[in-house]
């Protein structure tokens, strides 16, 4: 499998997992689970901002951020829409990326002013792993909230294997023909 094909699969997974996490966070009761809800939304907003920053680096344009999060936290549905849009941008970028583009080094500046230097492929891998790390933190907050007061609905099951088997149910047949 080519790097661009694998990265595209990972960005499809990321879009699915980000959407599932935001759905779960939005369902938290703002009264009973105020702290977990706010912290989870802040984590996902941080992912959005970092995704937007690195998308701007890849596109060769200014991102306009002075930090890796915004002072205000968007409402869950607005955050969900914005994250879905940037996830779509990454998926399109990964699907169109050539091996030469992926290997191309890219100098940039972090929001703290420090210089950075990564290949396009490194940046794409960073975005996927960065989102997974923070979804894990948000998932822990959901579990803590559920331990204190049971939640309505199902908690996210954020793994690549779960995504693959839900997106491609024929995988459950393990390569055998359908009956």
């Amino acid at each position: 499998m080519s790097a661009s094909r694998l990265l595209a699969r990972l960005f499809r997974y990321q879009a699915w997992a980000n959407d599932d996490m935001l759905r779960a966070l939005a369902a938290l009761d703002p009264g009973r689970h105020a702290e977990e809800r706010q912290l989870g939304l802040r984590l996902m907003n941080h992912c959005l901002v970092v995704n937007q920053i690195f998308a701007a680096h890849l596109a060769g344009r200014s991102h306009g951020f002075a930090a890796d999060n915004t002072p205000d936290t968007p409402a869950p549905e607005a955050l969900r829409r914005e994250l879905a849009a940037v996830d779509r941008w990454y998926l399109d970028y990964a699907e169109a990326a050539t091996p030469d583009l992926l290997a191309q080094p890219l100098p940039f500046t972090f929001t703290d002013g420090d210089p950075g230097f990564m290949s396009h492929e490194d940046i794409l891998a960073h975005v996927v792993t960065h989102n997974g790390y923070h979804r894990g933190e948000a998932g822990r907050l959901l579990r803590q909230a559920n331990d204190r007061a049971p939640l309505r609905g199902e908690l996210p099951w954020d793994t690549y294997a779960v995504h693959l088997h839900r997106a491609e149910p024929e995988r459950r047949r393990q390569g055998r023909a359908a009956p």
Side-chain angles (χ1 to χ4, degrees):
M1 176 181 317
S2 70
S4 64
R5 185 166 175 231
L6 176 60
L7 287 164
R9 295 180 124 202
L10 290 172
F11 279 106
R12 274 192 285 285
Y13 156 64
Q14 176 171 290
W16 168 82
N18 283 345
D19 188 65
D20 204 31
M21 178 57 68
L22 284 167
R23 176 201 47 77
L25 288 170
L28 284 176
D29 184 284
R32 290 188 321 166
H33 301 112
E35 184 178 0
E36 294 93 344
R37 187 176 197 266
Q38 178 64 15
L39 288 172
L41 292 172
R42 293 296 298 159
L43 285 166
M44 296 306 293
N45 191 60
H46 166 70
C47 289
L48 171 64
V49 169
V50 168
N51 291 0
Q52 291 172 328
I53 289 170
F54 278 102
H57 293 323
L58 290 168
R61 59 178 166 72
S62 173
H63 53 73
F65 290 100
D68 63 5
N69 212 333
T70 58
D72 297 323
T73 307
E77 280 308 309
L79 183 55
R80 197 171 176 187
R81 276 190 311 275
E82 288 187 56
L83 204 46
V86 76
D87 282 339
R88 181 76 235 176
W89 185 92
Y90 276 105
L91 177 57
D92 292 344
Y93 188 90
E95 287 180 334
T98 64
D100 286 343
L101 177 66
L102 290 174
Q104 185 178 15
L106 183 64
F108 58 90
T109 304
F110 287 101
T111 56
D112 64 5
D114 283 347
F117 191 73
M118 298 166 77
S119 70
H120 289 233
E121 186 174 54
D122 290 333
I123 289 173
L124 295 173
H126 168 70
V127 168
V128 168
T129 58
H130 177 263
N131 276 246
Y133 176 81
H134 289 302
R135 277 195 316 274
E137 288 181 300
R140 188 73 197 123
L141 291 168
L142 287 170
R143 294 220 181 275
Q144 288 172 347
N146 191 55
D147 289 347
R148 274 193 315 100
L151 305 177
R152 304 178 306 262
E154 187 179 317
L155 293 174
W157 199 3
D158 179 357
T159 73
Y160 185 59
V162 168
H163 164 70
L164 285 176
H165 286 83
R166 286 186 180 169
E168 302 170 27
E170 66 276 7
R171 286 175 176 266
R172 294 286 183 200
R173 292 193 305 271
Q174 301 177 328
R176 294 185 299 266

